Amino acid sequence: MRPSPSDPPAPAPAFDLLVIGDVNPDVVLSGAPRRLAYGQREQLVSGGDLVLGGSGAITACGAARLGLRVAFAGRVGDDAAGRFVLDALSARGVDVTHCVVGPTPTAMTVVLADGHDRAILTSPGCLPDLTVDDVPRGLARHVHVSSYFLQPALAAGLPGLLAEERASGASTSLDTNDDPAGAWDGLAGVLPEVDVFLPNAAEAVAIAARLATPHPLPSSVEEAAARLGAFGPLVAVKDGAEGALAWEAGRTVRVPAVPMEPVDTVGAGDSFNAGLIAARLRGLDLRECLRVAVTCGSLSTQAAGGTAAQPTWKDL
């Protein structure tokens, strides 16, 4: 039944952004050795930090730092790690009312950082328990989903959830992050319900190859973005020192990186996500959205962890 002209307008969403996804403590060890010495040998590193981690959590904090009203929906355990991450999100202005606290332990990650590169070890904990039934509907103008492959129960219901949100007027985005299994499966049904897809270059190439038959590798990041864009979304690819590129409706836009010596690159891609979402919600054009996103990602590398150096809009 269609509303009549006399019906009152639907209430505006309570939030600008709902982030659905992962949150965990990150133990970031800087100057980590490339080869670990087993046999109970002890190796020293140059630094260590305990910080808020998880792609979804870092994106949520970056968006709140840019002035958006942000809510986070995910799962944590009823443990010290869960309390740590919920307190950290709240302190950064993110609403955690819709984060489920359950009996399974909170996910935990150790990041072994070596200059521009890093290895990531994650105990998924309660991440696989998150489902679409845990997610509130109609809460925000934009819905972002992170870490698709770490949350298989959520992934199974994601096409329907995103379709429902889009039907209610929200825009949607997805950052799959890495697939620990290396299979890159399941995205053919999800991408048509995604307005903005946010892979890095390696992820874009791997996913584009998996979605093609018989899985030929794209010859370039531009080709990968075009293949992914054929499923419907704007594709914004994080390309490290090369900056970023976007593909939309047959048009490719590139912006350069911001020259900067990083302190810690953890979470730079998630800060990129926050910048692009915030810029789109402000109505900026595609090139400006990319410039904002690249700058957010670059500035976030100037302190340890993913959230300590995230910029405000005034900083940009």
Side-chain angles (χ1 to χ4, degrees):
M1 178 177 174
R2 293 184 178 182
S4 72
S6 60
D7 288 339
F15 295 93
D16 299 307
L17 172 63
L18 171 66
V19 176
I20 305 167
D22 54 329
V23 59
N24 54 264
D26 271 356
V27 177
V28 182
L29 301 179
S30 304
R34 285 287 171 142
R35 186 181 295 275
L36 299 180
Y38 285 88
Q40 301 184 54
R41 294 289 300 164
E42 186 165 359
Q43 294 169 283
L44 301 182
V45 298
S46 59
D49 292 279
L50 174 63
V51 296
L52 178 66
S55 175
I58 295 172
T59 298
C61 290
R65 184 79 172 147
L66 291 168
L68 298 187
R69 299 167 300 159
V70 183
F72 181 85
R75 275 186 171 264
V76 299
D78 185 12
D79 50 29
R83 290 186 284 277
F84 169 79
V85 296
L86 292 181
D87 287 347
L89 283 166
S90 297
R92 288 164 174 80
V94 177
D95 184 282
V96 296
T97 305
H98 303 283
C99 198
V100 178
V101 179
T104 309
T106 304
M108 299 280 285
T109 291
V110 175
V111 180
L112 305 177
D114 179 23
H116 297 271
D117 201 4
R118 61 187 183 271
I120 303 170
L121 304 174
T122 293
S123 170
C126 59
L127 295 182
D129 298 342
L130 184 67
T131 74
V132 294
D133 294 333
D134 296 320
V135 179
R137 307 302 202 267
L139 200 66
R141 294 196 289 147
H142 184 90
V143 176
H144 175 75
V145 181
S146 67
S147 296
Y148 177 88
F149 297 108
L150 295 182
Q151 301 165 116
L154 175 69
L158 199 56
L161 171 64
L162 295 183
E164 188 177 339
E165 290 290 347
R166 294 176 88 197
S168 70
S171 52
T172 61
S173 58
L174 171 66
D175 184 352
T176 64
N177 304 103
D178 191 33
D179 179 8
W184 306 102
D185 283 330
L187 290 167
V190 178
L191 288 180
E193 302 300 339
V194 172
D195 291 303
V196 184
F197 187 43
L198 293 155
N200 65 28
E203 293 158 359
V205 168
I207 295 167
R210 185 68 184 89
L211 291 173
T213 303
H215 315 315
L217 280 174
S219 60
S220 65
V221 177
E222 286 82 359
E223 182 187 339
R227 284 196 206 174
L228 297 169
F231 285 84
L234 180 160
V235 181
V237 182
K238 296 158 274 196
D239 200 12
E242 301 302 315
L245 69 92
W247 187 98
E248 183 177 38
R251 178 173 71 115
T252 300
V253 175
R254 254 203 185 273
V255 300
V258 178
M260 199 164 288
E261 185 60 34
V263 173
D264 181 0
T265 60
V266 171
D270 308 315
S271 294
F272 175 102
N273 296 344
L276 193 132
I277 292 167
R280 277 178 60 86
L281 289 177
R282 281 177 172 249
L284 302 186
D285 66 29
L286 180 55
R287 186 175 297 277
E288 284 299 301
C289 286
L290 270 188
R291 289 183 63 228
V292 167
V294 167
T295 307
C296 284
S298 298
L299 290 175
S300 78
T301 68
Q302 298 304 287
T307 62
Q310 288 178 318
T312 65
W313 198 265
K314 184 178 179 180
D315 294 332
L316 294 178

